[in-house]
Amino acid sequence: AHQDDPAYGHNWYGKAGGSDIKDVTGDFPAVVGWELGHLEIGAPYNLDSVYFTDMKRMMREVYDRGGINTISWHGDNIVTGKTAWDCAQDSVVRSIVPGGRNHTKFLTRLDRLAAFFHDLKDEKGESIPVIFRMYHEHTGSWFWWGAKQCTPDEYNQLYRMTVSYLRNKKGVHNVLYAFSPCNITTEKEFLLRYPGDDYVDIVGVDVYCGNKNTDETNAKFKKEVSVQLDIVTSYAKKANKIPVLAETGMEGIANPDFFTKVLLPAIEPYQISYVLLWRNAYTIKTHYYAPFPGHASASDFKKFTDMPGILLNKKISPMYVSEK
């Protein structure tokens, strides 16, 4: 999986049929990540400059070729009007949950999300299913919904309120809800800020590798993946949820063998549904997590995607399965 894969890449933006993953491997990723940040304030494009009209079209294209769409949401801080990363306050979540002074105002933001989900239809007019991974990395403290910014109870209320409102009040039924903390070390920690099995379909974690290619960095990443996927996969089994590695990668991919020598051994012991590499920004030349043609890790990535357990789009699409 790759964030924003068809929208832009390391050296391009808005090219028809574009994909850094496809350029390197010959196939699109099976899962594509998208971002709704700024949809909630009525903006025409998101915080990474992807127009929502284009996003809907590309999501349909992903679905038409048998792929899966997953969506993150770095929604603005409703109190200050600044970004999701504006997290100096510990009262934002409290102001949004039922009874809070921004509750009604926040629901108008959810109305915009609901309209977006309702608008995702295939050519027959049937709803396109999507994964919605909201209020993520909440065990860190860099977003207004983070661990230092709200109590476990407030976080869980926010999550439940959002699901209930979209599902029951707005009739959104084409969404699976994904939950992804970070830096967790025990199941107790995982469950402290977990809204409950009725509100979550997919459980995952976000784990990144440091950007320096050293034995220490690689070992630390493998250990963190292992500790956290142990927790996630064992809980998924008990609760009948789908486990994933919701966000990962090494910014700038300084290690040319990162994919086969670091990421693969880290995930191999686990049965997870997908692994999502973060985006290849076209504006920040060092901010990329998947290789592009000519990159030192491109051949290693091709080797990684050729592994029997790693599936790209053709191998998951119904067309491919029926041919076999």
Coordinates of all heavy atoms in Angstrom, one line a residue, residues 69-131:
N69 N -9.2 1.3 -1.0 CA -8.9 2.7 -0.6 C -9.0 2.8 0.9 O -9.9 2.4 1.6 CB -9.9 3.6 -1.2 CG -9.8 3.8 -2.7 OD1 -8.8 4.4 -3.2 ND2 -10.7 3.3 -3.4
T70 N -7.9 3.4 1.5 CA -7.9 3.7 3.0 C -7.7 5.2 3.1 O -6.9 5.8 2.4 CB -6.9 2.8 3.7 OG1 -6.9 3.2 5.1 CG2 -5.5 3.0 3.2
I71 N -8.4 5.8 4.1 CA -8.4 7.2 4.3 C -7.9 7.6 5.6 O -8.4 7.1 6.6 CB -9.8 7.8 4.0 CG1 -10.3 7.4 2.6 CG2 -9.9 9.3 4.2 CD1 -11.8 7.7 2.4
S72 N -7.0 8.6 5.7 CA -6.6 9.2 7.0 C -7.2 10.6 7.0 O -7.7 11.1 6.0 CB -5.1 9.2 7.1 OG -4.5 9.9 6.0
W73 N -7.2 11.2 8.3 CA -7.8 12.5 8.4 C -7.1 13.3 9.4 O -7.2 13.2 10.6 CB -9.3 12.3 8.8 CG -10.1 13.6 9.0 CD1 -9.9 14.8 8.3 CD2 -11.1 13.9 9.9 NE1 -10.8 15.8 8.7 CE2 -11.5 15.2 9.7 CE3 -11.8 13.1 10.9 CZ2 -12.6 15.8 10.4 CZ3 -12.8 13.7 11.6 CH2 -13.2 15.0 11.4
H74 N -6.2 14.2 8.9 CA -5.5 15.2 9.8 C -6.4 16.5 9.8 O -6.1 17.5 9.2 CB -4.1 15.5 9.2 CG -3.2 14.4 9.2 ND1 -3.2 13.4 8.3 CD2 -2.2 14.1 10.1 CE1 -2.3 12.5 8.6 NE2 -1.6 12.9 9.6
G75 N -7.5 16.4 10.5 CA -8.5 17.5 10.5 C -7.9 18.7 11.4 O -7.2 18.5 12.4
D76 N -8.3 19.9 10.9 CA -7.8 21.1 11.6 C -8.3 21.2 13.1 O -9.4 20.6 13.4 CB -8.3 22.4 10.9 CG -7.4 22.7 9.7 OD1 -6.4 22.0 9.5 OD2 -7.7 23.8 9.1
N77 N -7.6 21.9 13.9 CA -8.0 22.2 15.3 C -9.2 23.2 15.3 O -9.0 24.3 14.8 CB -6.8 22.8 16.0 CG -7.0 23.1 17.4 OD1 -8.1 23.5 17.8 ND2 -6.0 22.9 18.3
I78 N -10.3 22.7 15.7 CA -11.6 23.5 15.7 C -11.5 24.8 16.6 O -12.2 25.7 16.4 CB -12.8 22.7 16.0 CG1 -14.1 23.3 15.4 CG2 -12.9 22.3 17.5 CD1 -15.3 22.3 15.3
V79 N -10.7 24.7 17.6 CA -10.6 25.8 18.6 C -9.7 26.9 18.1 O -10.1 28.1 18.1 CB -10.0 25.3 20.0 CG1 -9.8 26.5 20.9 CG2 -11.0 24.3 20.6
T80 N -8.6 26.6 17.5 CA -7.6 27.6 17.0 C -7.7 27.9 15.6 O -7.2 29.0 15.1 CB -6.2 27.2 17.3 OG1 -5.9 26.1 16.6 CG2 -6.0 26.9 18.8
G81 N -8.3 27.0 14.8 CA -8.4 27.2 13.3 C -7.1 26.8 12.7 O -6.9 27.0 11.5
K82 N -6.1 26.3 13.5 CA -4.8 25.9 12.9 C -4.9 24.4 12.6 O -5.9 23.8 12.6 CB -3.7 26.3 13.9 CG -3.5 27.8 14.0 CD -2.4 28.1 14.9 CE -2.3 29.7 15.1 NZ -1.5 30.0 16.3
T83 N -3.7 23.8 12.3 CA -3.6 22.5 11.8 C -3.9 21.4 12.9 O -3.9 21.8 14.1 CB -2.3 22.2 11.1 OG1 -1.3 22.1 12.2 CG2 -1.9 23.2 10.1
A84 N -3.9 20.2 12.5 CA -4.0 19.0 13.4 C -2.9 19.0 14.4 O -3.0 18.4 15.5 CB -4.1 17.7 12.6
W85 N -1.7 19.5 13.9 CA -0.5 19.5 14.7 C -0.5 20.6 15.8 O 0.5 20.7 16.6 CB 0.7 19.5 13.8 CG 1.0 18.3 13.0 CD1 1.7 17.2 13.4 CD2 0.4 18.0 11.7 NE1 1.7 16.3 12.4 CE2 0.9 16.8 11.3 CE3 -0.5 18.7 10.9 CZ2 0.5 16.1 10.1 CZ3 -0.8 18.1 9.6 CH2 -0.3 16.8 9.3
D86 N -1.5 21.5 15.8 CA -1.5 22.5 16.8 C -2.1 21.9 18.0 O -3.4 21.8 18.1 CB -2.4 23.7 16.2 CG -2.5 24.8 17.2 OD1 -1.5 25.0 18.0 OD2 -3.5 25.5 17.3
C87 N -1.3 21.5 18.9 CA -1.7 20.7 20.0 C -1.3 21.2 21.4 O -1.0 20.4 22.3 CB -1.2 19.2 19.8 SG 0.5 19.1 19.6
A88 N -1.2 22.5 21.5 CA -0.7 23.1 22.8 C -1.8 23.0 23.9 O -1.6 23.2 25.0 CB -0.3 24.5 22.6
Q89 N -3.1 22.8 23.4 CA -4.2 22.8 24.4 C -4.6 21.4 24.8 O -4.3 20.4 24.1 CB -5.5 23.4 23.7 CG -5.2 24.7 23.0 CD -4.7 24.4 21.6 OE1 -4.8 23.3 21.0 NE2 -4.1 25.4 21.0
D90 N -5.3 21.3 26.0 CA -5.8 19.9 26.4 C -7.3 20.0 26.5 O -7.9 19.2 27.3 CB -5.1 19.5 27.7 CG -5.5 20.4 28.9 OD1 -6.2 21.4 28.6 OD2 -5.0 20.1 30.0
S91 N -7.9 20.9 25.8 CA -9.4 21.1 25.9 C -10.1 20.9 24.6 O -11.3 21.1 24.6 CB -9.6 22.5 26.5 OG -9.0 23.4 25.7
V92 N -9.4 20.6 23.5 CA -10.1 20.6 22.2 C -11.1 19.4 22.1 O -12.2 19.6 21.8 CB -9.0 20.5 21.0 CG1 -9.7 20.5 19.7 CG2 -8.1 21.7 21.1
V93 N -10.6 18.2 22.5 CA -11.5 17.1 22.4 C -12.7 17.3 23.4 O -13.9 17.0 23.0 CB -10.8 15.8 22.8 CG1 -11.7 14.6 22.8 CG2 -9.7 15.5 21.7
R94 N -12.4 17.8 24.6 CA -13.5 18.0 25.5 C -14.6 19.0 25.0 O -15.7 18.9 25.2 CB -12.9 18.6 26.8 CG -13.7 18.5 28.1 CD -13.0 19.0 29.3 NE -11.6 18.6 29.3 CZ -10.6 19.4 29.6 NH1 -10.9 20.7 30.0 NH2 -9.4 19.0 29.5
S95 N -14.1 19.9 24.1 CA -15.1 20.9 23.5 C -15.9 20.3 22.4 O -16.9 20.9 22.0 CB -14.3 22.1 23.1 OG -13.8 21.9 21.8
I96 N -15.4 19.1 21.9 CA -16.1 18.6 20.7 C -17.1 17.5 21.1 O -18.2 17.3 20.4 CB -15.0 17.9 19.8 CG1 -14.2 19.0 19.1 CG2 -15.7 17.0 18.7 CD1 -13.0 18.5 18.4
V97 N -16.8 16.7 22.1 CA -17.7 15.6 22.5 C -19.1 16.2 23.0 O -19.2 17.3 23.3 CB -17.1 14.7 23.6 CG1 -15.8 14.0 23.0 CG2 -16.7 15.5 24.9
P98 N -20.1 15.3 23.0 CA -21.4 15.8 23.4 C -21.4 16.6 24.7 O -20.8 16.2 25.7 CB -22.2 14.5 23.6 CG -21.6 13.5 22.6 CD -20.1 13.9 22.6
G99 N -22.1 17.8 24.6 CA -22.0 18.7 25.8 C -21.0 19.7 25.7 O -21.0 20.7 26.4
G100 N -20.0 19.5 24.8 CA -18.9 20.5 24.6 C -19.4 21.7 23.8 O -20.3 21.6 23.0
R101 N -18.7 22.9 23.9 CA -19.2 24.1 23.3 C -19.0 24.0 21.8 O -19.6 24.8 21.0 CB -18.5 25.3 23.8 CG -17.0 25.4 23.7 CD -16.4 26.5 24.5 NE -14.9 26.3 24.5 CZ -14.1 26.8 23.6 NH1 -14.6 27.5 22.6 NH2 -12.8 26.6 23.6
N102 N -18.1 23.1 21.3 CA -17.9 23.0 19.8 C -18.6 21.8 19.2 O -18.4 21.5 18.0 CB -16.4 23.0 19.5 CG -15.8 24.3 19.7 OD1 -16.3 25.3 19.2 ND2 -14.7 24.3 20.4
H103 N -19.4 21.1 20.0 CA -20.0 19.9 19.5 C -20.8 20.1 18.2 O -20.6 19.4 17.2 CB -20.9 19.3 20.6 CG -21.6 18.0 20.2 ND1 -20.9 16.9 19.9 CD2 -22.9 17.7 20.0 CE1 -21.8 15.9 19.5 NE2 -23.0 16.4 19.6
T104 N -21.7 21.0 18.2 CA -22.6 21.2 17.1 C -21.8 21.7 15.9 O -22.0 21.2 14.7 CB -23.7 22.3 17.4 OG1 -24.3 21.9 18.7 CG2 -24.8 22.3 16.4
K105 N -20.8 22.5 16.1 CA -20.0 23.0 15.0 C -19.2 21.9 14.4 O -19.0 21.8 13.2 CB -19.0 24.1 15.6 CG -18.2 24.8 14.5 CD -17.3 25.9 15.2 CE -16.2 26.4 14.3 NZ -15.2 27.2 15.0
F106 N -18.7 20.9 15.3 CA -17.9 19.8 14.8 C -18.8 18.9 13.9 O -18.3 18.3 13.0 CB -17.3 19.0 16.0 CG -16.3 18.0 15.6 CD1 -15.0 18.4 15.2 CD2 -16.6 16.7 15.5 CE1 -14.0 17.5 14.8 CE2 -15.6 15.7 15.1 CZ -14.3 16.2 14.7
L107 N -20.1 18.7 14.3 CA -20.9 17.9 13.5 C -21.1 18.4 12.1 O -21.2 17.6 11.2 CB -22.3 17.8 14.2 CG -22.4 17.1 15.6 CD1 -23.8 17.0 16.1 CD2 -21.7 15.7 15.6
T108 N -21.0 19.7 11.9 CA -21.0 20.2 10.5 C -19.8 19.7 9.7 O -19.8 19.5 8.5 CB -21.2 21.7 10.4 OG1 -20.0 22.3 11.0 CG2 -22.4 22.2 11.2
R109 N -18.7 19.5 10.4 CA -17.5 19.0 9.8 C -17.7 17.5 9.4 O -17.4 17.1 8.3 CB -16.3 19.1 10.7 CG -15.9 20.5 11.1 CD -14.6 20.7 11.8 NE -14.2 22.1 11.7 CZ -13.0 22.6 12.0 NH1 -12.1 21.8 12.5 NH2 -12.7 23.9 11.9
L110 N -18.4 16.8 10.3 CA -18.7 15.4 10.0 C -19.7 15.3 8.9 O -19.6 14.3 8.1 CB -19.2 14.7 11.3 CG -18.2 14.5 12.4 CD1 -18.8 13.7 13.5 CD2 -16.8 13.9 12.0
D111 N -20.6 16.3 8.8 CA -21.5 16.3 7.6 C -20.8 16.3 6.3 O -21.2 15.7 5.3 CB -22.4 17.5 7.7 CG -23.4 17.4 8.9 OD1 -23.7 16.3 9.4 OD2 -24.0 18.5 9.3
R112 N -19.7 17.1 6.3 CA -18.9 17.2 5.0 C -18.3 15.9 4.7 O -18.2 15.5 3.5 CB -17.9 18.3 5.1 CG -18.5 19.7 5.1 CD -17.5 20.8 5.1 NE -18.1 22.1 5.0 CZ -18.0 23.1 5.9 NH1 -17.3 22.9 7.0 NH2 -18.6 24.2 5.7
L113 N -17.8 15.2 5.7 CA -17.2 13.9 5.5 C -18.2 12.9 5.0 O -18.0 12.1 4.1 CB -16.5 13.3 6.8 CG -15.1 13.6 7.0 CD1 -14.8 15.1 7.1 CD2 -14.5 13.0 8.3
A114 N -19.4 12.9 5.6 CA -20.5 12.0 5.3 C -20.9 12.2 3.8 O -21.1 11.3 3.0 CB -21.7 12.3 6.1
A115 N -20.9 13.5 3.4 CA -21.3 13.8 2.0 C -20.2 13.2 1.0 O -20.6 12.6 0.0 CB -21.4 15.3 1.8
F116 N -19.0 13.2 1.4 CA -17.9 12.7 0.6 C -18.0 11.2 0.5 O -18.0 10.6 -0.6 CB -16.5 13.0 1.3 CG -15.3 12.5 0.6 CD1 -14.7 13.3 -0.4 CD2 -14.8 11.3 0.8 CE1 -13.5 12.9 -1.1 CE2 -13.7 10.8 0.1 CZ -13.0 11.6 -0.8
F117 N -18.3 10.5 1.6 CA -18.5 9.0 1.6 C -19.7 8.6 0.8 O -19.6 7.7 0.0 CB -18.6 8.5 3.0 CG -17.4 8.6 3.9 CD1 -17.4 9.1 5.2 CD2 -16.1 8.3 3.4 CE1 -16.3 9.2 6.0 CE2 -15.0 8.4 4.2 CZ -15.1 8.9 5.5
H118 N -20.8 9.4 0.9 CA -22.0 9.1 0.1 C -21.7 9.3 -1.4 O -22.4 8.6 -2.2 CB -23.1 10.0 0.5 CG -23.8 9.6 1.8 ND1 -24.3 8.3 2.0 CD2 -24.1 10.2 2.9 CE1 -24.8 8.2 3.2 NE2 -24.7 9.3 3.8
D119 N -20.8 10.1 -1.7 CA -20.5 10.4 -3.1 C -19.6 9.4 -3.8 O -19.5 9.4 -5.0 CB -19.8 11.8 -3.2 CG -20.2 12.6 -4.4 OD1 -21.2 12.3 -5.0 OD2 -19.4 13.5 -4.7
L120 N -19.1 8.5 -3.0 CA -18.2 7.5 -3.6 C -19.0 6.3 -4.2 O -19.5 5.4 -3.4 CB -17.2 6.9 -2.5 CG -16.2 7.9 -2.0 CD1 -15.5 7.3 -0.8 CD2 -15.2 8.3 -3.1
K121 N -19.3 6.4 -5.5 CA -20.1 5.4 -6.1 C -19.4 4.9 -7.4 O -18.7 5.6 -8.0 CB -21.4 6.0 -6.6 CG -22.3 6.6 -5.5 CD -23.3 5.6 -4.9 CE -24.5 6.2 -4.2 NZ -24.2 6.9 -3.0
D122 N -19.7 3.6 -7.7 CA -19.1 3.0 -8.9 C -20.0 3.4 -10.1 O -21.0 4.1 -9.9 CB -18.9 1.5 -8.8 CG -20.1 0.7 -8.6 OD1 -21.2 1.3 -8.8 OD2 -20.0 -0.5 -8.3
E123 N -19.7 2.9 -11.3 CA -20.5 3.2 -12.5 C -21.9 2.7 -12.4 O -22.8 3.3 -13.1 CB -19.8 2.8 -13.8 CG -19.5 1.3 -13.8 CD -18.5 0.9 -14.8 OE1 -17.7 1.8 -15.3 OE2 -18.5 -0.3 -15.2
K124 N -22.2 1.7 -11.6 CA -23.6 1.2 -11.4 C -24.3 2.0 -10.4 O -25.5 1.7 -10.1 CB -23.5 -0.3 -11.1 CG -23.0 -1.2 -12.1 CD -23.1 -2.6 -11.7 CE -22.2 -3.5 -12.6 NZ -21.6 -4.6 -11.8
G125 N -23.6 3.0 -9.7 CA -24.3 3.7 -8.7 C -24.2 3.1 -7.3 O -24.9 3.5 -6.4
E126 N -23.5 2.0 -7.2 CA -23.3 1.3 -5.9 C -22.2 2.0 -5.1 O -21.2 2.4 -5.7 CB -22.9 -0.2 -6.2 CG -23.7 -0.9 -7.1 CD -24.6 -1.9 -6.5 OE1 -24.2 -2.6 -5.5 OE2 -25.8 -2.1 -6.9
S127 N -22.4 2.0 -3.8 CA -21.4 2.6 -2.9 C -20.0 1.8 -3.0 O -20.0 0.6 -3.0 CB -21.9 2.6 -1.5 OG -22.9 3.5 -1.3
I128 N -19.0 2.6 -3.0 CA -17.6 2.0 -3.0 C -17.2 1.9 -1.5 O -17.2 2.9 -0.7 CB -16.6 3.0 -3.7 CG1 -16.9 2.9 -5.2 CG2 -15.2 2.5 -3.5 CD1 -16.1 3.9 -6.0
P129 N -16.8 0.7 -1.1 CA -16.3 0.5 0.3 C -15.0 1.2 0.6 O -14.1 1.1 -0.3 CB -16.3 -1.0 0.5 CG -16.1 -1.5 -0.9 CD -16.7 -0.6 -1.8
V130 N -14.8 1.8 1.7 CA -13.5 2.4 2.0 C -13.2 2.2 3.5 O -14.1 1.9 4.3 CB -13.5 4.0 1.8 CG1 -13.6 4.3 0.3 CG2 -14.6 4.7 2.6
I131 N -11.9 2.3 3.8 CA -11.4 2.2 5.2 C -11.2 3.6 5.7 O -10.6 4.4 5.0 CB -10.1 1.4 5.3 CG1 -10.3 -0.1 4.8 CG2 -9.5 1.4 6.7 CD1 -9.0 -0.8 4.5

